[in-house]
Amino acid sequence: MGRKLVVLREDKSEAVLEEILAPDEQNLHDRLRLSPGLLPIEDLELDGPLLVVGQEVSLASGRIDLVGLARSGDILLVEFKTGPHNPDFRHVLAQLVDYGSDLWEQSLDEFDNTVVRRYLASKYCTDPKMAGARSLEDARALIWPEMPEAEIGQFRTRLAETLETGDFHFIAVAQRFTTSMENSVRYLNQSMKRGTFYLAELIRYQSPLSSEPGQQVISAYACQIVTRPERRPTVASNRIGEADLLGSITNDDYRMALERIFDACKGIGLRFEWGTKGASIRLPTQDRAEPLSIVWIFRPDSASNWYGLSHLTLGYDKDSLASVPSVEGRIVQYGMEASDLPAGKPPRGKAIMGATFDPSSVVALEVRLIALITETVAAINDQGRLG
């Protein structure tokens, strides 16, 4: 099959491993079941480590190979196949969709009872880190013990939202995929309103058999995502975008100031995550796949916003900052400098450090706000810590 892997021993000798076919689907399934960390969920822009909550769990449509959760609360449904045959591949895709329909519209309690608890009590749950877990909350606490309370709430909210909408990550795993298979998945990602499809190659390597006495055969496995959506559709239909927010602003000076601030943020690589009332503007870091929010913007007419924020806020969430230590010092400084700007007010949420600026303040301080954001990102980039 062509691909090779070089292993360096402690004595500096080399072993060349060659890609070989797995004997059957069960061999692949068992390897990923025993080593779920092989699945590179960071390539799906999700934070790990993966929390496995289901293996061979019976649903209405059959027995699903693997159910996993990312730290964000996203659900991964994984199915295995072998060989390049199209009928097998179509069957895998159909199974994934069927499994998604089985879980769709379940509540958190239903998901816990029908999938998680059954897996934890089954013979398939062999991870020693999960010893003693009896529920989803037990498993979460064991795999992500340092997760702060605010993130736990976000995890549960996203998990409930995913179950309600059916916005699952569907992953087909095999040794090789054909161009036709890749095109089928691209089509599904472009045409489906909910859910994203990925193809992951699980590659088995082995050293050649040797006639030399005492020479051991070495095996290795690698997993890589070979097909993914061009753009992950996480924005729900009732969420707004930049045009919606700017269109809700009647103050021309404020609207144009925000446009220039947005353009500056996009120009330095910050990411926008839009919600139903506004957006968080996020900094990619090397610590985790999920970027860190450092700016929030809300429609002037919105109420009951996240942490009681309003208008434009520069700063950071203390709980989220704890998970990105590489930029912690510079972001703390950023929050202090935002607080020192004139006309800024302390955010209502006690977990948010920084300052909130009303429309007139944004207009008056536009240049300084842009400078603070861009200089902070530049300093982090100069340190090599930008994701």
Side-chain angles (χ1 to χ4, degrees), residues 245-310:
L245 184 138
L246 294 174
S248 70
I249 298 173
T250 57
N251 183 319
D252 292 341
D253 291 336
Y254 180 44
R255 183 175 62 256
M256 289 187 290
L258 286 181
E259 287 179 351
R260 289 187 285 267
I261 291 172
F262 291 170
D263 288 343
C265 290
K266 286 181 278 189
I268 55 176
L270 298 184
R271 304 176 186 176
F272 286 66
E273 180 70 20
W274 290 96
T276 58
K277 302 175 183 179
S280 62
I281 304 177
R282 303 181 174 189
L283 171 77
T285 72
Q286 295 181 346
D287 301 287
R288 62 178 194 173
E290 186 74 15
L292 175 70
S293 297
I294 61 171
V295 180
W296 294 268
I297 178 67
F298 290 94
R299 294 168 54 124
D301 56 353
S302 64
S304 301
N305 300 323
W306 183 71
Y307 271 126
L309 297 180
S310 61

Side-chain angles (χ1 to χ4, degrees), residues 112-133:
D112 195 4
N113 292 330
T114 60
V115 177
V116 185
R117 291 175 182 265
R118 289 167 58 195
Y119 164 67
L120 294 174
S122 75
K123 65 180 181 179
Y124 297 102
C125 183
T126 58
D127 187 345
K129 295 192 295 292
M130 301 277 270

Side-chain angles (χ1 to χ4, degrees), residues 148 292 296 316-323 328 349-353:
L292 175 70
W296 294 268
Y316 61 89
D317 171 15
K318 290 188 293 185
D319 290 335
S320 298
L321 186 64
S323 63
E328 183 173 4
K350 294 182 179 180
I352 306 299
M353 308 304 295

Side-chain angles (χ1 to χ4, degrees), residues 17-57:
L17 280 58
E18 297 182 354
E19 181 182 1
I20 64 171
L21 284 172
D24 50 40
E25 181 187 78
Q26 194 62 42
N27 180 272
L28 294 174
H29 177 275
D30 290 345
R31 175 44 50 197
L32 198 55
R33 179 180 67 82
L34 294 171
S35 307
L38 276 172
L39 196 65
I41 68 170
E42 291 78 10
D43 289 348
L44 281 60
E45 298 185 2
L46 299 173
D47 280 329
L50 180 70
L51 170 56
V52 176
V53 294
Q55 289 184 17
E56 297 296 333
V57 174

Side-chain angles (χ1 to χ4, degrees), residues 28 111 122 136 155 314 328 355 367:
L28 294 174
F111 179 71
S122 75
L136 173 61
F155 166 80
L314 274 61
E328 183 173 4
V367 174

Side-chain angles (χ1 to χ4, degrees), residues 99-339:
Y99 297 146
S101 68
D102 291 337
L103 298 178
W104 178 44
E105 295 186 325
Q106 283 193 356
S107 67
L108 279 179
D109 287 341
E110 288 173 326
F111 179 71
D112 195 4
N113 292 330
T114 60
V115 177
V116 185
R117 291 175 182 265
R118 289 167 58 195
Y119 164 67
L120 294 174
S122 75
K123 65 180 181 179
Y124 297 102
C125 183
T126 58
D127 187 345
K129 295 192 295 292
M130 301 277 270
R134 296 292 180 267
S135 66
L136 173 61
E137 176 55 28
D138 292 343
R140 181 211 59 75
L142 289 170
I143 299 301
W144 305 311
E146 81 292 350
M147 183 180 282
E149 286 298 322
E151 191 177 351
I152 293 173
Q154 294 169 6
F155 166 80
R156 292 181 62 84
T157 298
R158 173 59 183 163
L159 179 54
E161 178 186 75
T162 299
L163 291 167
E164 180 182 356
T165 63
D167 190 19
F168 306 116
H169 296 272
F170 300 105
I171 306 173
V173 181
Q175 295 183 87
R176 280 292 180 98
F177 294 98
T178 66
T179 300
S180 174
M181 296 172 184
E182 294 176 357
N183 288 337
S184 296
V185 167
R186 291 192 184 99
Y187 171 74
L188 288 173
N189 282 325
Q190 289 292 326
S191 61
M192 288 191 64
K193 183 178 180 181
R194 292 284 185 273
T196 48
F197 288 81
Y198 303 83
L199 299 181
E201 287 185 347
L202 184 56
I203 309 162
R204 184 185 180 191
Y205 296 94
Q206 184 172 292
S207 60
L209 297 177
S210 174
S211 58
E212 297 181 16
Q215 189 72 35
Q216 294 183 333
V217 175
I218 302 174
S219 297
Y221 289 81
C223 188
Q224 60 185 18
I225 303 296
V226 295
T227 302
R228 73 196 76 201
E230 294 182 4
R231 178 179 180 272
R232 197 178 74 173
T234 57
V235 178
S237 58
N238 62 337
R239 297 188 179 187
I240 66 172
E242 180 176 337
D244 299 308
L245 184 138
L246 294 174
S248 70
I249 298 173
T250 57
N251 183 319
D252 292 341
D253 291 336
Y254 180 44
R255 183 175 62 256
M256 289 187 290
L258 286 181
E259 287 179 351
R260 289 187 285 267
I261 291 172
F262 291 170
D263 288 343
C265 290
K266 286 181 278 189
I268 55 176
L270 298 184
R271 304 176 186 176
F272 286 66
E273 180 70 20
W274 290 96
T276 58
K277 302 175 183 179
S280 62
I281 304 177
R282 303 181 174 189
L283 171 77
T285 72
Q286 295 181 346
D287 301 287
R288 62 178 194 173
E290 186 74 15
L292 175 70
S293 297
I294 61 171
V295 180
W296 294 268
I297 178 67
F298 290 94
R299 294 168 54 124
D301 56 353
S302 64
S304 301
N305 300 323
W306 183 71
Y307 271 126
L309 297 180
S310 61
H311 303 304
L312 183 73
T313 299
L314 274 61
Y316 61 89
D317 171 15
K318 290 188 293 185
D319 290 335
S320 298
L321 186 64
S323 63
V324 286
S326 70
V327 300
E328 183 173 4
R330 191 61 186 83
I331 293 299
V332 169
Q333 179 182 339
Y334 162 75
M336 294 174 61
E337 292 177 358
S339 299

Side-chain angles (χ1 to χ4, degrees), residues 81-94:
K81 75 174 295 291
T82 56
H85 307 296
N86 270 320
D88 294 341
F89 177 67
R90 290 194 293 268
H91 181 61
V92 167
L93 291 182

